[in-house]
Amino acid sequence: MKIEIEIEPIPNPRPRFSGGRCYEPARIKKFKTDVGIMARQAMKGKPPFNSAVKVVCKFYRKYKETSRKFGDADNLLKSVMDALNKICWEDDSQIISCTAEKYQSPTPKIEIEVVKARQDAK
């Protein structure tokens, strides 16, 4: 299954603490909600995978002259994996392989490919 989501990728930030509680900044919360909505639409009613899966994510961000920062690959993955939980797979513990690729592009987007994986050792 392949999904293309036209949204600027945002890396998952470090946890924030206030009043003895941990919270997510509003910006990342909105990003995860938006990714989840777009993924549900792309899934067209298909149920989430219920077995081991392999995931490939390609992140396309606009090049900014003022900043060469793109975000750590693991933090980009974390924000998307959290958003797709219970939509593309039942639980992210099913992911046995995950790859992230980062690209500069005039059109920001995230391409996600999820495939059923074999879990047997060879």
Side-chain angles (χ1 to χ4, degrees):
M1 167 194 64
K2 290 184 181 183
I3 297 174
E4 186 174 305
I5 299 173
E6 293 185 11
I7 191 169
E8 181 77 27
I10 299 176
N12 207 53
R14 293 177 191 219
R16 307 280 189 234
F17 297 92
S18 178
R21 303 191 96 179
C22 182
Y23 70 95
E24 285 185 322
R27 178 175 174 238
I28 193 69
K29 207 177 250 191
K30 180 177 178 353
F31 171 78
K32 289 178 181 180
T33 299
D34 291 348
V35 168
I37 289 168
M38 289 183 242
R40 268 192 189 89
Q41 291 170 349
M43 293 283 290
K44 299 177 183 168
K46 295 178 190 167
F49 284 92
N50 63 0
S51 61
V53 294
K54 292 183 179 185
V55 181
V56 175
C57 289
K58 295 179 182 179
F59 299 95
Y60 298 85
R61 285 187 80 181
K62 277 191 173 180
Y63 178 76
K64 297 177 184 170
E65 285 292 330
T66 57
S67 173
R68 294 189 183 265
K69 292 180 102 178
F70 193 104
D72 295 347
D74 60 331
N75 291 333
L76 288 165
L77 274 172
K78 178 72 174 140
S79 62
V80 171
M81 298 296 109
D82 286 351
L84 299 180
N85 213 25
K86 307 235 183 295
I87 298 169
C88 291
W89 44 79
E90 291 179 356
D91 187 81
D92 55 8
S93 65
Q94 294 168 232
I95 301 169
I96 64 166
S97 174
C98 194
T99 304
E101 299 173 11
K102 303 186 303 184
Y103 301 98
Q104 299 291 342
S105 171
T107 308
K109 65 181 175 179
I110 304 167
E111 292 177 353
I112 304 143
E113 184 174 8
V114 183
V115 295
K116 190 173 181 179
R118 291 181 53 189
Q119 242 183 326
D120 53 340
K122 291 187 178 187

